[in-house]
Amino acid sequence: MLYIALGEMGMEESHQRIDRTLSGGIMRIDVTGGGLPIAKQPVDGKTQGYTIPRDNPFLNVPGALGEFYAFGLRNPFRFAFDKANGSLWTGDVGSTVWEEVNVIEKGGNYQFPYDEGGEPALGFPKPATIQGTEHGPVYTYRHT
């Protein structure tokens, strides 16, 4: 499987959404062709040349883009698999005050933009309905 980290690109209309654009999360695709065909295209985009892993967590969510593995991230700029236990770690660049380190779990929602660095974010209320499983960061530090 190929894992791809994509920032939210300042697209507020896609915050906490897994049905519009491939942004603000970790995507997982199957480049061998052994998965399922791409069922939905992003708004204003087109994808091709891969399939969707059969066990991706949002495959059965109506209208969701099947590539999502985890979401609710602002800018996951670097990630690595822990050789000792296989867990996936990422550094997430914050928007205003906080930087985060997260352990990424299948189906995880890392709460951006309504929570950043473990604190509620001003101007972004928590959605009434939460998709995925909420996870806070394992480590935070201020921009300065």
Side-chain angles (χ1 to χ4, degrees):
M1 302 305 147
L2 178 64
Y3 291 76
I4 307 162
L6 295 168
E8 52 90 34
M9 299 181 255
M11 298 187 307
E12 287 187 20
E13 69 276 8
S14 294
H15 286 170
Q16 286 295 306
R17 305 274 308 257
I18 56 174
D19 64 341
R20 295 185 52 79
T21 63
L22 297 172
S23 63
I26 304 288
M27 310 304 147
R28 184 173 72 154
I29 62 174
D30 183 340
V31 295
T32 69
L36 299 170
I38 299 166
K40 180 177 177 170
Q41 294 293 324
V43 174
D44 297 328
K46 180 164 176 43
T47 59
Q48 63 184 14
Y50 59 86
T51 57
I52 307 296
R54 296 175 186 275
D55 64 341
N56 266 12
F58 300 105
L59 277 178
N60 295 321
V61 174
L65 294 161
E67 290 91 337
F68 275 97
Y69 185 79
F71 71 105
L73 296 159
R74 180 175 176 271
N75 188 15
F77 68 98
R78 177 174 282 180
F79 65 89
F81 288 94
D82 186 329
K83 290 180 183 180
N85 62 20
S87 60
L88 177 59
W89 291 76
T90 189
D92 192 19
V93 175
S95 173
T96 54
V97 177
W98 297 102
E99 307 289 333
E100 296 182 357
V101 176
N102 294 287
V103 175
I104 301 299
E105 294 189 25
K106 180 179 175 180
N109 179 338
Y110 293 85
Q111 307 172 331
F112 183 82
Y114 64 89
D115 186 294
E116 190 172 19
E119 293 183 354
L122 298 175
F124 293 102
K126 185 174 182 174
T129 302
I130 302 294
Q131 300 243 13
T133 303
E134 290 181 288
H135 294 282
V138 295
Y139 182 75
T140 63
Y141 56 97
R142 293 185 173 271
H143 286 209
T144 54

